[in-house]
């Protein structure tokens, strides 16, 4: 599975999704393919770090109730 964020010029490629094929980077020139796992997707703060994106609705772990 891949999540396309064209405004950020990023494709988030979920590499351990057994139902999908890998992203073909040549099919998306100008976009950076960022490989992540399902576990990493479960932690949006990691995606923020990996992709350099800001998810303002995601609280840091210490701030969560």
């Amino acid at each position: 599975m891949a999540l396309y964020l064209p405004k950020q010029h990023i494709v988030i490629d979920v590499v351990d999704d057994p139902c999908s094929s890998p992203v073909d980077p040549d099919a998306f020139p100008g976009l950076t393919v960022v490989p992540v796992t399902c576990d990493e997707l479960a932690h949006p703060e990691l995606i923020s770090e990996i992709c350099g994106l800001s998810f303002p609705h995601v609280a840091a772990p210490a701030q969560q109730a």
Side-chain angles (χ1 to χ4, degrees), residues 4-63:
Y4 299 90
L5 304 170
K7 288 183 181 180
Q8 291 81 12
H9 304 284
I10 293 175
V11 177
I12 298 174
D13 184 18
V14 183
V15 295
D16 59 349
D17 179 355
C19 297
S20 69
S21 301
V23 169
D24 178 6
D26 295 333
F28 302 95
L31 296 181
T32 300
V33 177
V34 179
V36 299
T37 64
C38 290
D39 187 52
E40 290 171 326
L41 283 178
H43 303 282
E45 66 277 1
L46 291 176
I47 300 301
S48 294
E49 292 176 26
I50 293 168
C51 297
L53 300 174
S54 173
F55 293 102
H57 61 282
V58 176
Q63 296 171 350

